[in-house]
């Protein structure tokens, strides 16, 4: 068995249930710490797999460039406040380079950009949410040339943000702000997130629809010309 | 970059302190502990960021009040009903719970503010560089590329404006989008071209063959060991001593304060005391000259 596979199994079957058990015995707001710890633990196998692969210089640089691009992309749209192309770029990177590279790009982009704003209790949730955005896009579209129609990908991006990425970001608010976990209080918080998530999803869809073809072409040219990130992702 | 005494300690000391402070701050909902967290966190935050810190804290203070007012609208449990809102009871217990919750959030924001100032990215990577070498390198590269890309984006925007293509403010939504995408596309091409050069030059300098050594700026000194043991000891004392239980709804009750509370205060005051001690030592040494 590969070392990283063994590590993922260890995390899923030992570390996470262990955290749940131990977390329950904490006094006070145990659920908040436990939820955050589990989010961090789910990310560990991704990072461990990347680390144990000993990535080549080219792979490392291209991921860094894409993560930085995603983090900076907002600057190009100074005249359109609320428009954030980050998720779209992360997803397109994942389509080109696969789910694992997509996860890393998303998580790194937001982690690094938080160094310029502020790290906070939201950092792990954001890393996980944007990482999952990349992972999903990569898992569905990577290597399937026929599916890579900009509009199909845009629709996928919109739904993924609305149904998965956005609620994940809201979950941080749920765990910080709620005192009772009743159905109506949960609906209230997630419901309040819907308009923001709609904007976020629309921005992602527009980014993918407009930029998708060009960006994928550039990335695939890079792959054929320099043989980057092939086979091992 | 801040220059307070605690920031000059080994990153491991800083990291352990923030794990302890933020970990306790997240979980404990005992009112006395929250108050201690707000006071100690606020004092250190002001020490770190000076006059700007006061303004930031002033901006954050309405937050607990806001959560206090809003929480009873969601949580209806409690005995002391103040009045009815839309047929649902608005209780004193839920009001206090909301206040406590806002306090916890304030404590976390304060400590995370201090964390950002003390544990800068270079310390973070030097702390985790040997544990996760590839990821730290990735992080360092992203952190260096972000300002470079921001600069380049502004150059592209300026260039477009100069040739009369940059009428973004007056353009329609569609034009704005198109223009932004063009800028992003240009930036991407430039960045990807640059990435090839970086990667090739990394390889030609021998990246990936053999173990990497890294330059170490920080060294564990005796003082750092003492602080590390002190923080670890106080942290375990807070956890083991107990007395941190408190509940608000449906009935308000808080455990009597035990040995854990002074330990908690001492733990949170470590950076502040350390800074004041250094400042005092500095002034004494100046006055001797």
């Amino acid at each position: 068995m590969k070392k990283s596979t063994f590590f993922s199994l260890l995390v899923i079957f030992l570390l996470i249930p262990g955290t749940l058990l131990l977390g329950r015995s904490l006094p006070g707001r145990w659920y908040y710490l436990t939820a955050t710890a589990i989010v961090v633990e789910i990310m560990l196998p991704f990072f461990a797999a990347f680390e144990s692969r000993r990535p080549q210089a080219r792979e490392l640089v291209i991921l860094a460039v894409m993560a930085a691009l995603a983090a900076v992309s907002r600057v190009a749209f100074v005249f359109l406040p609320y428009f954030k192309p980050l998720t779209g770029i992360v997803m397109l990177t994942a389509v080109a380079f696969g789910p694992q590279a997509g996860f890393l790009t998303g998580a790194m982009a937001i982690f690094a950009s938080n160094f310029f704003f502020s790290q906070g209790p939201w950092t792990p949730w954001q890393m996980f949410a944007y990482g999952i955005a990349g992972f999903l896009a990569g898992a569905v579209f990577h290597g399937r040339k026929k599916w890579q129609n900009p509009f199909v990908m845009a629709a996928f991006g919109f739904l993924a943000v609305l149904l998965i990425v956005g609620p994940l970001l809201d979950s941080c608010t749920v765990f910080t702000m709620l005192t009772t976990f009743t159905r109506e209080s949960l609906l209230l918080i997630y419901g309040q997130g819907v308009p923001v998530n709609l904007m976020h999803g629309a921005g992602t869809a527009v980014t993918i629809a407009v930029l998708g073809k060009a960006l994928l072409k550039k990335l695939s040219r890079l792959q054929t010309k320099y043989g980057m990130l092939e086979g091992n992702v | 970059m801040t220059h307070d005494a605690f920031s000059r300690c080994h990153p491991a000391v800083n990291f352990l302190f923030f794990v302890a402070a933020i970990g306790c701050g997240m979980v404990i909902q005992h009112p006395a502990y929250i108050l201690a967290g707000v006071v100690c966190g606020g004092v250190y935050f002001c020490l770190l960021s000076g006059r700007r810190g006061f303004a930031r804290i002033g901006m954050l203070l309405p937050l607990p009040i806001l959560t206090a007012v809003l929480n009873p609208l969601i949580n209806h449990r409690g005995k002391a009903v103040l009045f009815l809102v839309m047929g649902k009871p608005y209780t004193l217990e839920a009001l206090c719970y909301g206040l406590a919750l806002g306090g916890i959030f304030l404590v976390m924001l304060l400590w995370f503010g201090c964390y950002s100032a003390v544990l800068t990215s270079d310390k973070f990577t030097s702390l985790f560089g040997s544990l996760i070498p590839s990821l730290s390198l990735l992080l360092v590269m992203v952190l260096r590329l972000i300002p470079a890309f921001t600069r380049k984006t502004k150059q592209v925007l300026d260039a477009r404006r100069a040739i009369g293509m940059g009428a973004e403010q007056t353009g329609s939504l569609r034009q704005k989008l198109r223009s932004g995408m063009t800028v992003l596309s240009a930036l991407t091409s430039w960045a990807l071209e640059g990435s090839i050069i970086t990667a090739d030059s990394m390889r030609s300098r021998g990246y990936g063959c053999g173990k990497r050594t890294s330059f170490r700026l920080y060294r564990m000194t005796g003082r750092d060991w003492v602080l590390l043991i002190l923080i670890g000891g106080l942290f375990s004392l807070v956890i083991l001593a107990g007395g941190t239980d408190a509940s608000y709804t449906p009935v308000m009750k808080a455990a009597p304060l035990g040995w854990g509370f002074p330990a908690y205060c001492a733990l949170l005051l470590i950076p502040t005391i350390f800074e004041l001690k250094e400042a005092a030592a500095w002034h004494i040494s100046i006055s001797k000259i």
Side-chain angles (χ1 to χ4, degrees), chain A residues 66-67 69-71 73-74 82-95 102 105-106 109-110 126 128-138 153 156-162 164-166 169 196-197 199-208 211 215, chain B residues 184:
Chain A
M66 291 318 290
L69 262 181
S73 54
R74 216 166 23 89
Y82 308 114
F83 184 78
K84 288 181 197 121
L86 191 150
T87 324
I89 293 180
V90 167
M91 284 181 156
L92 287 171
T93 312
V95 172
T105 312
I110 197 71
Q126 285 180 333
F128 183 59
Y130 291 114
I132 281 293
F135 180 80
L136 287 176
M153 288 191 293
F156 174 83
F158 178 74
L159 288 177
V161 169
L162 191 66
I164 297 165
V165 180
L169 292 170
V196 180
N197 294 339
M199 284 288 291
H200 185 184
T204 307
V206 168
T207 312
I208 295 178
L211 206 62
L215 188 64
Chain B
L184 203 56

Side-chain angles (χ1 to χ4, degrees), chain A residues 27 29 32-33 47 51 58 60-61 68-69 72 77 79-80 112 119-121 177 179-180 185 215 218 226, chain B residues 26-27 29 71 74-75 77 97 101 104 112 132-135 137 142 168 185 188-189 195-196 200 207 245:
Chain A
R29 295 161 50 74
Y32 183 49
L33 193 65
F47 294 140
E51 202 61 69
R58 282 188 170 170
L60 210 60
V61 172
L69 262 181
V72 167
F77 295 88
F79 299 109
L80 281 177
Q119 305 286 358
M177 283 301 166
T179 51
T180 54
S185 63
L215 188 64
K218 279 174 193 170
Y226 299 100
Chain B
M26 261 183 190
V27 172
Q29 51 182 5
N71 187 51
I74 307 173
N75 189 342
R77 292 190 291 179
Y97 201 177
L101 204 65
I104 290 175
F112 267 111
I132 41 168
S134 308
L135 283 167
L137 184 60
V142 178
E168 285 97 342
S185 195
T188 312
S189 304
S195 75
I196 303 293
D200 283 348
Y207 175 79
D245 296 328

